[in-house]
Amino acid sequence: MLKSPMGGGGIRRRILELLVDLDGATAPAVAAVLGITPDLARAHLGVLAAAGLLRAERVAGRTCYHRDEARIAEARDLFESGW
């Protein structure tokens, strides 16, 4: 089944917005800010990473997520052009 990178009831959009200021956040950190479980945060972060909108980096045994600004801009341009 295909998943939309921007689906998820707005959680994925909120994650992308959150990572503007909280770059390099882990799933538990994202979960704490958004008031969701770490497992749910991990699932949404995984979808965004699979879509190429986030980069995952292992640091000291933890996975940290960063926005991929170039890919986010490409996706925004596609949607704004009426794709």
Side-chain angles (χ1 to χ4, degrees):
M1 169 162 81
L2 296 175
K3 294 183 180 180
S4 165
M6 292 313 295
I11 292 175
R12 294 182 198 138
R13 178 179 298 276
R14 290 171 53 203
I15 288 172
L16 287 174
E17 291 169 354
L18 172 69
L19 290 178
V20 168
D21 296 322
L22 196 62
D23 186 48
T26 62
V30 168
V33 172
L34 297 181
I36 60 176
T37 67
D39 285 340
L40 183 57
R42 256 183 226 94
H44 286 293
L45 288 161
V47 170
L48 290 166
L53 301 176
L54 297 180
R55 291 177 289 103
E57 172 188 31
R58 294 289 289 175
V59 176
R62 295 185 173 166
T63 303
C64 297
Y65 294 89
H66 307 271
R67 290 169 50 108
D68 187 325
E69 296 299 338
R71 287 290 302 232
I72 290 170
E74 288 175 10
R76 184 181 312 117
D77 291 345
L78 279 175
F79 287 106
E80 287 177 355
S81 70
W83 169 71

